[in-house]
Amino acid sequence: MQPHILLLAAGASSRMRGGDKLLEPVAGEPLLTRIARAALATRAPVTVTLPPDRPARTAALAGLPVAQVTVPDPAQGMSASLAAGRAAIPPTHAIMLLLADLPEITAEDLTHLLTLWQQEPEAILRGAAQDGTPGHPVCFPPDLRDDLLTLRGDEGARSVLIRHRARLRAVRLPGTHATTDLDTPEDWAAWRAANP
């Protein structure tokens, strides 16, 4: 199996009231830079979907060996990013869907998932919090790539996971690495207060 990481970074960040959550500093660098570095550390190829109107996100990836795909209509939701990203990845590759707004995800988390996936390549692996709460990333075998094209709007891949739930395996990651998703300035402030 040839895994490929698809980093979804075309969202509007609309709840940040003018800010961009993907550019929020985490450990001294923009969140998008940090998560792209974590993905690259796995040595899997990485493709990043980006909106056409956020040059600062492109700048945050400068010098990193990732493929960049512009999503022409990101307002259509996550399905537009999935379609654009999937089209840019070779058809034989399995896809790990990785959201760009997960500040606690580490290279070790991603490598752990990929290692388990090599042992069970027909499974859909989904990152979960230590308590079992479902989260991200989500790993899709090559035969389910076409299912990602049936998605509409901003639902993500939920319907695909439901349809193929017999193949779904939860992989518990440390703490809340798989589930911490900060959408508002207040979320960021609270998280930073708890993680000085």
Side-chain angles (χ1 to χ4, degrees):
M1 182 184 65
Q2 297 176 295
H4 197 116
I5 298 176
L6 177 56
L7 181 56
L8 302 177
S13 215
S14 57
R15 296 175 60 194
M16 285 293 290
R17 300 193 294 277
D20 188 339
K21 63 182 176 179
L22 299 190
L23 301 179
E24 286 287 321
V26 177
E29 61 186 353
L31 174 57
L32 179 56
T33 308
R34 180 187 174 283
I35 200 162
R37 287 189 196 280
L40 288 167
T42 68
R43 301 192 177 183
V46 180
T47 294
V48 185
T49 61
L50 294 162
D53 58 350
R54 300 260 181 167
R57 291 188 188 178
T58 302
L61 297 170
L64 297 180
V66 298
Q68 298 182 26
V69 176
T70 299
V71 180
D73 49 358
Q76 289 190 13
M78 195 182 296
S79 62
S81 286
L82 289 172
R86 176 202 170 279
I89 295 173
T92 57
H93 285 223
I95 297 175
M96 172 190 278
L97 294 183
L98 176 60
L99 303 184
D101 57 0
L102 299 171
E104 296 182 0
I105 281 287
T106 67
E108 292 75 18
D109 296 333
L110 301 178
T111 299
H112 177 59
L113 272 164
L114 290 174
T115 300
L116 292 177
W117 203 15
Q118 292 286 358
Q119 299 167 12
E120 197 175 4
E122 296 304 311
I124 303 169
L125 296 191
R126 182 173 191 177
Q130 191 68 51
D131 67 3
T133 303
H136 292 274
V138 183
C139 306
F140 289 95
D143 67 297
L144 297 183
R145 287 169 54 113
D146 287 347
D147 288 54
L148 299 178
L149 290 183
T150 67
L151 303 173
R152 296 292 178 265
D154 208 30
E155 68 162 336
R158 191 175 303 113
S159 62
V160 179
L161 296 178
I162 292 171
R163 193 157 55 247
H164 297 284
R165 58 184 168 270
R167 297 170 64 177
L168 185 60
R169 307 284 184 273
V171 177
R172 296 185 186 216
L173 300 178
T176 56
H177 289 197
T179 55
T180 296
D181 174 5
L182 309 174
D183 290 326
T184 68
E186 292 80 11
D187 290 343
W188 278 96
W191 182 76
R192 287 198 171 100
N195 299 271

